Amino acid sequence: MSGSAKLCKHKAIEIHQKLWEVRLFELRAAELYREGHLPGFIHLSLGQEACAVGACLALEEKDFITSTHRGHGHCLAKGADPRFMMAELAGKHEGYSKGRGGSMHIADVSKGVLGANGIVGQSAPLACGAALTAQVKNTGQAALAFFGEGASGSGPVHEAMNIAAIWKLPVIFFCEVNRYAELSPYSVHVPIERLSERSKSYGFDGFTVDGSNVKAVYNAVSSARQKIRSGGGPVLIEAKTHRWHGHYEGDPMHYLDDKDRDSSQRMDPVVMFEAACALELGINTEELSKSKENAITLIDDAVSFALGLGAAPTSVISEDVYA
Amino acid sequence: MKKNRQPALKYYSAVTRALSEEMRRDENVILIGEDVGPSGGIFAQTKGLHAEFGPSRVRDTPIAEAGFTSLAVGAAMTGLRPIVEVGFEDFLTACMDPIVNQGAKLRYMLGGQVRVPVTLYTFGSGGLSAGPQHSQSLAAWFAHVPGVKVIQPSSARDALGLLKSSVRDDNFVICLLCKSLIGSKELAPSATEDFLIPIGQAEVKKSGSDVTIIALGAMVKRALAAADILKTDGIDAEVIDPRTISPLDMTTILKSVSKTNTLIVVHEAMSPCGIGAEIVARVCETSPSVLRSAPVRITPPFAPSPFAPNLEADYLPSVEKIVMKAKLMLEDRR
């Protein structure tokens, strides 16, 4: 499960654009939030873009993902439209959830995005449910559950891993270890260095990858997806990454240690990948600028779209409670 | 030996019949839960299903109610119609999140993009000396949650018809079966009949003009027995079984109360913030002048269900108590 497999140029450019879409979407969301355009609270994954993009782009289009409260990147990377996402963040009827869900409840089922989820740990059993459908109906689909080290200690995650192992479900457990769970560090939540080791106790494989390296993430998930295709059952992937912003936007982050406070020491997954594109894949600056420009246009459009919308009609409040 | 040509349907075998008919009808219907597979379940309620439908569609789970209920929600969102067995109603407290935050809300939260057709059935209520953690009636907890439907069959035929309707419903339906009714039997609908009872429809079990008694689950039989005794005293009681607790069929209830101008509610669940409180409130809100005497809730005392048979017998609403309360109410009115 090394990061040495060759990425084709086409895929690399796709990854590059997605990295920028995620980065820019969240930078703009942070800005809009500060300016009071986005209500409630939002949780950003700035610094973790390589996890979302590397994982989702290694999946097939028909595959499912379940996500978390910190899920903008996951949804975008799996193909959700930034316009309807931003509209949802702004609480508009045109948003993915008709303004009833907000940042923590974005889904695009047509793209296999079964929803960000506000309850930590539930992404794991919900993904197993989607994997069960794939197994019973023999559709060849797989499901990937995003969760963090905070969720790794929760009951649903353990129960899901145990059932997935017993039933050999086509599911990838993708743990983004971003060094903090809510307001406290890794050591408060996990007593071991490598979470991936836990997979052994359930009876399946686990790997730890550099979550700032999109190529490494992509390769790990590709291999896991390959294993699932041959009926090999679940895989746990632990991606070590960094959460640059607070648990929520506006979090003063008094809990950061000195090393994490020093932003000059940060690995930037986007910069890292751009360097790799130039060095290893021979992608020139012009090509990289073009995919970044595409991302800028998309996110600008999304922001204009969302801000141009009127208030959600109150008539929707009681819609869709029952099917 | 006298031959009984009328085939009987037992409460537990109504479950088996409902599940097998629906699994035969729709290959997207699957069954998961503890010991639902080859063992056939504690009450033989899933006997034969594993053999007929195979290990892919009938799956024993580890003891992980929260995990497998959430898994059922994920499966329902993606095209299956899972039936989930949770052995005892009391264990629903272990899967509140998958029910309340996931199954009930996902359709709403995701802008109507998904349906969550899960049927969760479980054995609850008291009467078997099962003690405080195996005897509860938690219907009100779930009736408080938008997005969930709650049914409580009080007979074998209701169990069959309501469960079949649940499996066809596109929402998260919780079916609260009564352990004390497990062996009770009724005339079975013909084996070829697709016997359905609509969710959301109460049944007038006995028509009457003097007093309305609304009873839930195993209390329906007691209310009917009480009505028989009241009749000998010249009191004509009407007994109604809501059958569905959420959504409540208030039309049937209000019609009865308008006729008798009285209201008694009998259930095994606690009184505070319970279904009885809800029914009384809705009657008073809708028809504030209809009641000619104070409404009465007959429930256990506000205490966990005790184990010892004599304690539990005293704890649960009895036929005698229903008779006594009804008489008192009508005497007051005279």
Side-chain angles (χ1 to χ4, degrees):
Chain A
M1 196 75 58
S2 72
S4 61
K6 182 93 174 156
L7 202 61
C8 77
K9 190 173 161 181
H10 175 75
K11 198 77 181 180
I13 288 176
E14 198 186 336
I15 286 174
H16 182 248
Q17 179 169 327
K18 277 288 179 219
L19 286 170
W20 274 110
E21 283 178 33
V22 176
R23 170 70 54 86
L24 293 168
F25 183 93
E26 293 213 307
L27 286 173
R28 293 301 295 276
E31 201 178 292
L32 294 172
Y33 187 77
R34 278 196 301 275
E35 291 166 359
H37 293 293
L38 308 181
F41 33 85
I42 54 174
H43 309 85
L44 300 183
S45 62
L46 288 161
Q48 301 176 217
E49 295 88 347
C51 294
V53 175
C56 289
L57 268 61
L59 295 176
E60 294 182 22
E61 202 173 335
K62 63 183 180 182
D63 291 344
F64 299 109
I65 64 160
T66 57
S67 171
T68 70
H69 57 291
R70 206 176 300 288
H72 303 147
H74 309 146
C75 299
L76 281 167
K78 191 67 176 58
D81 188 322
R83 288 176 305 161
F84 306 134
M85 285 182 59
M86 199 60 93
E88 188 57 38
L89 264 63
K92 308 297 187 184
H93 185 61
E94 292 77 2
Y96 271 116
S97 303
K98 302 183 184 171
R100 299 190 301 234
S103 161
M104 282 189 280
H105 305 290
I106 288 171
D108 185 341
V109 176
S110 70
K111 304 282 185 191
V113 182
L114 296 179
N117 205 293
I119 306 296
V120 167
Q122 282 295 345
S123 57
L126 289 170
C128 288
L132 176 63
T133 300
Q135 189 182 65
V136 171
K137 291 173 162 259
N138 197 21
T139 61
Q141 290 164 293
L144 181 144
F146 286 104
F147 61 103
E149 75 261 41
S152 75
S154 76
V157 171
H158 287 281
E159 293 188 12
M161 287 190 181
N162 189 43
I163 297 174
I166 295 167
W167 292 356
K168 291 206 180 316
L169 293 176
V171 63
I172 298 167
F173 297 103
F174 190 93
C175 185
E176 282 177 83
V177 174
N178 67 9
R179 301 170 59 82
Y180 293 91
E182 298 181 355
L183 312 186
S184 49
Y186 184 86
S187 59
V188 169
H189 300 270
V190 188
I192 53 175
E193 213 170 288
R194 287 187 166 220
L195 263 167
S196 60
E197 284 169 11
R198 286 192 178 159
S199 67
K200 283 193 199 76
S201 68
Y202 297 108
F204 53 85
D205 291 337
F207 304 93
T208 298
V209 295
D210 175 2
S212 297
N213 182 338
V214 71
K215 253 180 66 184
V217 174
Y218 178 85
N219 287 335
V221 175
S222 297
S223 303
R225 184 68 186 83
Q226 188 60 42
K227 185 179 171 238
I228 280 172
R229 200 170 286 123
S230 54
V235 176
L236 169 62
I237 294 169
E238 173 193 26
K240 299 275 195 195
T241 180
H242 293 260
R243 187 186 84 196
W244 291 355
H245 280 214
H247 170 48
Y248 53 92
E249 270 312 271
D251 174 2
M253 296 199 282
H254 296 308
Y255 49 83
L256 282 192
D257 64 26
D258 290 344
K259 187 169 154 267
D260 286 338
R261 203 175 290 281
D262 181 4
S263 58
S264 67
Q265 298 303 307
R266 281 174 184 161
M267 296 285 228
D268 184 329
V270 183
V271 172
M272 270 174 71
F273 185 62
E274 287 183 343
C277 281
L279 277 170
E280 297 164 30
L281 297 166
I283 300 172
N284 63 38
T285 322
E286 203 174 292
E287 287 167 306
L288 289 178
S289 304
K290 197 174 161 226
S291 52
K292 184 179 172 183
E293 279 304 319
N294 289 343
I296 292 172
T297 307
L298 276 172
I299 302 308
D300 280 351
D301 284 353
V303 173
S304 318
F305 175 75
L307 295 185
L309 297 167
T314 51
S315 59
V316 303
I317 289 174
S318 297
E319 268 178 21
D320 297 325
V321 175
Y322 292 95
Chain B
M1 213 171 90
K2 195 177 152 192
K3 264 193 182 169
N4 186 356
R5 289 180 184 280
Q6 307 272 35
L9 182 71
K10 285 192 173 170
Y11 196 75
Y12 72 89
S13 58
V15 175
T16 326
R17 176 168 163 183
L19 303 191
S20 58
E21 286 182 2
E22 292 310 299
M23 291 187 78
R24 255 172 242 144
R25 190 186 55 79
D26 183 351
E27 64 178 15
N28 291 319
V29 178
I30 62 160
L31 171 66
I32 65 171
E34 291 155 29
D35 304 323
V36 299
S39 77
I42 284 182
F43 304 116
Q45 69 275 21
T46 59
K47 198 175 161 191
L49 300 181
H50 186 267
E52 180 175 353
F53 301 104
S56 177
R57 291 177 66 199
V58 179
R59 296 185 184 223
D60 277 333
T61 62
I63 302 171
E65 287 85 2
F68 67 72
T69 303
S70 182
L71 204 120
V73 172
M77 289 168 76
T78 48
L80 291 179
R81 303 183 76 83
I83 302 170
V84 179
E85 177 182 310
V86 173
F88 286 83
E89 188 171 332
D90 313 70
F91 307 163
L92 294 184
T93 57
C95 34
M96 287 307 265
D97 189 70
I99 298 172
V100 176
N101 283 321
Q102 311 301 336
K105 292 192 177 63
L106 275 163
R107 175 175 175 76
Y108 185 84
M109 284 193 307
L110 306 186
Q113 289 185 65
V114 294
R115 288 163 196 263
V116 188
V118 174
T119 295
L120 184 156
Y121 70 89
T122 183
F123 296 92
S125 304
L128 297 185
S129 272
Q133 292 177 334
H134 289 75
S135 303
Q136 291 170 84
S137 299
L138 302 176
W141 293 31
F142 301 102
H144 199 68
V145 180
V148 168
K149 294 185 182 179
V150 185
I151 57 172
Q152 185 156 50
S154 68
S155 70
R157 288 169 70 92
D158 284 0
L160 174 62
L162 285 167
L163 260 175
K164 280 168 65 74
S165 293
S166 304
V167 177
R168 298 183 195 190
D169 197 285
D170 277 336
N171 299 286
F172 198 110
V173 183
I174 298 179
C175 174
L176 304 172
L177 298 160
C178 303
K179 288 192 295 294
S180 62
L181 299 175
I182 279 294
S184 68
K185 56 187 171 189
E186 279 183 298
L187 183 65
S190 134
T192 53
E193 188 184 350
D194 191 18
F195 186 76
L196 295 165
I197 292 175
I199 291 175
Q201 207 173 85
E203 185 185 16
V204 178
K205 302 292 284 192
K206 179 195 167 296
S207 184
S209 54
D210 294 332
V211 56
T212 296
I213 304 174
I214 317 272
L216 292 172
M219 297 298 103
V220 172
K221 278 195 164 61
R222 294 190 181 189
L224 286 169
D228 282 346
I229 296 170
L230 288 166
K231 200 172 183 180
T232 62
D233 287 321
I235 296 170
D236 188 16
E238 177 148 303
V239 177
I240 293 175
D241 175 7
R243 302 195 291 196
T244 298
I245 293 166
S246 181
L248 266 176
D249 175 5
M250 284 309 294
T251 308
T252 301
I253 293 171
L254 284 165
K255 196 173 152 199
S256 174
V257 175
S258 302
K259 180 170 63 174
T260 66
N261 306 110
T262 58
L263 175 60
I264 293 175
V265 189
V266 191
H267 58 57
E268 289 190 52
M270 297 294 94
S271 186
C273 306
I275 306 299
E278 179 63 24
I279 291 173
V280 168
R282 288 210 217 171
V283 166
C284 293
E285 279 171 350
T286 320
S287 316
S289 55
V290 76
L291 292 179
R292 272 194 259 135
S293 46
V296 169
R297 288 175 285 166
I298 306 176
T299 69
F302 194 51
S305 179
F307 160 70
N310 71 311
L311 296 182
E312 192 183 25
D314 191 72
Y315 174 86
L316 291 172
S318 62
V319 175
E320 296 70 31
K321 193 178 255 179
I322 300 168
V323 170
M324 189 260 288
K325 290 279 187 182
K327 280 185 175 172
L328 209 62
M329 174 186 267
L330 293 178
E331 273 166 23
D332 281 355
R333 208 172 70 179
R334 284 168 192 146

